[in-house]
Short mmCIF file of all heavy atoms in Angstrom, two decimals:
data_model
loop_
_atom_site.label_atom_id
_atom_site.label_comp_id
_atom_site.label_asym_id
_atom_site.label_seq_id
_atom_site.Cartn_x
_atom_site.Cartn_y
_atom_site.Cartn_z
N GLY A 1 40.60 102.09 150.94
CA GLY A 1 39.37 101.32 151.05
C GLY A 1 39.65 99.84 151.04
O GLY A 1 40.59 99.38 150.40
N HIS A 2 38.83 99.09 151.77
CA HIS A 2 38.96 97.64 151.80
C HIS A 2 37.78 97.04 151.05
O HIS A 2 36.64 97.17 151.46
CB HIS A 2 38.97 97.14 153.25
CG HIS A 2 39.22 95.67 153.41
ND1 HIS A 2 38.28 94.71 153.06
CD2 HIS A 2 40.30 95.00 153.86
CE1 HIS A 2 38.78 93.53 153.30
NE2 HIS A 2 40.01 93.67 153.78
N SER A 3 38.06 96.39 149.92
CA SER A 3 37.02 95.77 149.10
C SER A 3 35.97 96.81 148.71
O SER A 3 36.30 97.81 148.10
CB SER A 3 36.41 94.58 149.85
OG SER A 3 35.58 93.81 149.02
N GLN A 4 34.68 96.60 149.08
CA GLN A 4 33.66 97.57 148.69
C GLN A 4 33.91 98.94 149.33
O GLN A 4 33.40 99.94 148.86
CB GLN A 4 32.27 97.08 149.08
CG GLN A 4 31.99 97.13 150.57
CD GLN A 4 30.52 97.20 150.90
OE1 GLN A 4 29.87 96.16 150.99
NE2 GLN A 4 30.02 98.38 151.07
N GLY A 5 34.73 98.97 150.40
CA GLY A 5 35.07 100.25 151.02
C GLY A 5 35.78 101.20 150.08
O GLY A 5 35.78 102.41 150.28
N GLU A 6 36.39 100.64 149.02
CA GLU A 6 37.05 101.51 148.04
C GLU A 6 36.04 102.37 147.29
O GLU A 6 36.38 103.45 146.81
CB GLU A 6 37.86 100.68 147.04
CG GLU A 6 39.19 100.21 147.58
CD GLU A 6 40.22 99.95 146.49
OE1 GLU A 6 39.86 99.31 145.47
OE2 GLU A 6 41.36 100.39 146.65
N ILE A 7 34.80 101.90 147.17
CA ILE A 7 33.78 102.70 146.49
C ILE A 7 33.50 103.95 147.32
O ILE A 7 33.41 105.07 146.77
CB ILE A 7 32.48 101.89 146.28
CG1 ILE A 7 32.78 100.57 145.58
CG2 ILE A 7 31.47 102.71 145.48
CD1 ILE A 7 31.58 99.62 145.48
N ALA A 8 33.37 103.79 148.63
CA ALA A 8 33.17 104.94 149.50
C ALA A 8 34.42 105.82 149.51
O ALA A 8 34.32 107.06 149.47
CB ALA A 8 32.84 104.47 150.92
N ALA A 9 35.59 105.22 149.58
CA ALA A 9 36.84 105.97 149.59
C ALA A 9 36.98 106.83 148.34
O ALA A 9 37.45 107.98 148.40
CB ALA A 9 38.03 105.03 149.72
N ALA A 10 36.56 106.29 147.19
CA ALA A 10 36.65 107.04 145.94
C ALA A 10 35.72 108.25 145.94
O ALA A 10 36.06 109.31 145.42
CB ALA A 10 36.32 106.13 144.75
N VAL A 11 34.54 108.10 146.55
CA VAL A 11 33.61 109.23 146.67
C VAL A 11 34.19 110.30 147.59
O VAL A 11 34.18 111.49 147.29
CB VAL A 11 32.24 108.75 147.19
CG1 VAL A 11 31.33 109.95 147.50
CG2 VAL A 11 31.57 107.83 146.17
N VAL A 12 34.72 109.86 148.73
CA VAL A 12 35.31 110.79 149.69
C VAL A 12 36.50 111.53 149.07
O VAL A 12 36.69 112.73 149.29
CB VAL A 12 35.76 110.04 150.97
CG1 VAL A 12 36.54 110.97 151.90
CG2 VAL A 12 34.54 109.48 151.68
N ALA A 13 37.29 110.83 148.25
CA ALA A 13 38.45 111.45 147.60
C ALA A 13 38.06 112.43 146.51
O ALA A 13 38.88 113.25 146.08
CB ALA A 13 39.35 110.37 147.02
N GLY A 14 36.80 112.35 146.04
CA GLY A 14 36.37 113.21 144.95
C GLY A 14 36.56 112.57 143.59
O GLY A 14 36.36 113.20 142.55
N GLY A 15 36.93 111.28 143.57
CA GLY A 15 37.15 110.60 142.30
C GLY A 15 35.89 110.08 141.66
O GLY A 15 35.86 109.82 140.45
N LEU A 16 34.82 109.92 142.45
CA LEU A 16 33.51 109.51 141.95
C LEU A 16 32.46 110.45 142.50
O LEU A 16 32.57 110.91 143.64
CB LEU A 16 33.17 108.08 142.40
CG LEU A 16 33.97 106.90 141.87
CD1 LEU A 16 33.48 105.61 142.54
CD2 LEU A 16 33.85 106.77 140.35
N THR A 17 31.43 110.72 141.71
CA THR A 17 30.28 111.43 142.24
C THR A 17 29.52 110.48 143.15
O THR A 17 29.69 109.26 143.07
CB THR A 17 29.35 111.91 141.12
OG1 THR A 17 28.83 110.75 140.44
CG2 THR A 17 30.09 112.80 140.13
N ILE A 18 28.67 111.01 143.98
CA ILE A 18 27.87 110.15 144.86
C ILE A 18 26.93 109.29 144.02
O ILE A 18 26.60 108.16 144.39
CB ILE A 18 27.12 111.00 145.90
CG1 ILE A 18 26.67 110.12 147.07
CG2 ILE A 18 25.95 111.74 145.27
CD1 ILE A 18 26.18 110.92 148.26
N GLN A 19 26.52 109.81 142.85
CA GLN A 19 25.65 109.04 141.95
C GLN A 19 26.39 107.85 141.36
O GLN A 19 25.86 106.74 141.29
CB GLN A 19 25.12 109.95 140.84
CG GLN A 19 24.12 111.00 141.29
CD GLN A 19 24.78 112.19 141.97
OE1 GLN A 19 25.99 112.43 141.82
NE2 GLN A 19 23.99 112.94 142.72
N ASP A 20 27.65 108.05 140.95
CA ASP A 20 28.41 106.93 140.40
C ASP A 20 28.75 105.92 141.50
O ASP A 20 28.76 104.71 141.26
CB ASP A 20 29.70 107.44 139.74
CG ASP A 20 29.50 107.78 138.27
OD1 ASP A 20 28.46 107.38 137.71
OD2 ASP A 20 30.39 108.42 137.69
N GLY A 21 29.03 106.41 142.70
CA GLY A 21 29.28 105.49 143.81
C GLY A 21 28.08 104.61 144.08
O GLY A 21 28.21 103.40 144.29
N ALA A 22 26.89 105.22 144.06
CA ALA A 22 25.65 104.47 144.27
C ALA A 22 25.43 103.46 143.16
O ALA A 22 25.02 102.31 143.42
CB ALA A 22 24.47 105.44 144.35
N ARG A 23 25.69 103.84 141.92
CA ARG A 23 25.52 102.93 140.79
C ARG A 23 26.42 101.71 140.95
O ARG A 23 25.97 100.56 140.79
CB ARG A 23 25.88 103.66 139.48
CG ARG A 23 25.88 102.74 138.25
CD ARG A 23 26.45 103.46 137.04
NE ARG A 23 25.60 104.55 136.64
CZ ARG A 23 24.56 104.45 135.80
NH1 ARG A 23 24.28 103.26 135.27
NH2 ARG A 23 23.84 105.49 135.49
N ILE A 24 27.69 101.93 141.29
CA ILE A 24 28.63 100.82 141.40
C ILE A 24 28.24 99.86 142.52
O ILE A 24 28.15 98.65 142.31
CB ILE A 24 30.06 101.36 141.65
CG1 ILE A 24 30.55 102.15 140.43
CG2 ILE A 24 31.02 100.20 141.94
CD1 ILE A 24 31.78 102.99 140.70
N VAL A 25 27.96 100.42 143.71
CA VAL A 25 27.70 99.53 144.85
C VAL A 25 26.37 98.81 144.71
O VAL A 25 26.24 97.64 145.09
CB VAL A 25 27.76 100.32 146.18
CG1 VAL A 25 26.56 101.22 146.37
CG2 VAL A 25 27.91 99.36 147.35
N ALA A 26 25.36 99.47 144.11
CA ALA A 26 24.05 98.84 143.97
C ALA A 26 24.05 97.77 142.89
O ALA A 26 23.60 96.64 143.13
CB ALA A 26 23.00 99.90 143.66
N LEU A 27 24.56 98.08 141.71
CA LEU A 27 24.52 97.13 140.61
C LEU A 27 25.49 95.98 140.82
O LEU A 27 25.20 94.83 140.46
CB LEU A 27 24.81 97.85 139.29
CG LEU A 27 23.77 98.90 138.88
CD1 LEU A 27 24.13 99.53 137.53
CD2 LEU A 27 22.37 98.29 138.81
#
């Protein structure tokens, strides 16, 4: 992932739930 793209990459990898990914990118 590049910058905020790492948040999406972590969700795709299974390291974050979609809920945690949303929390990180939104807040």
Side-chain angles (χ1 to χ4, degrees):
H2 185 288
S3 190
Q4 72 156 87
E6 282 206 314
I7 307 172
V11 172
V12 173
L16 293 177
T17 64
I18 199 168
Q19 291 77 20
D20 271 346
R23 174 189 294 273
I24 295 166
V25 73
L27 295 182

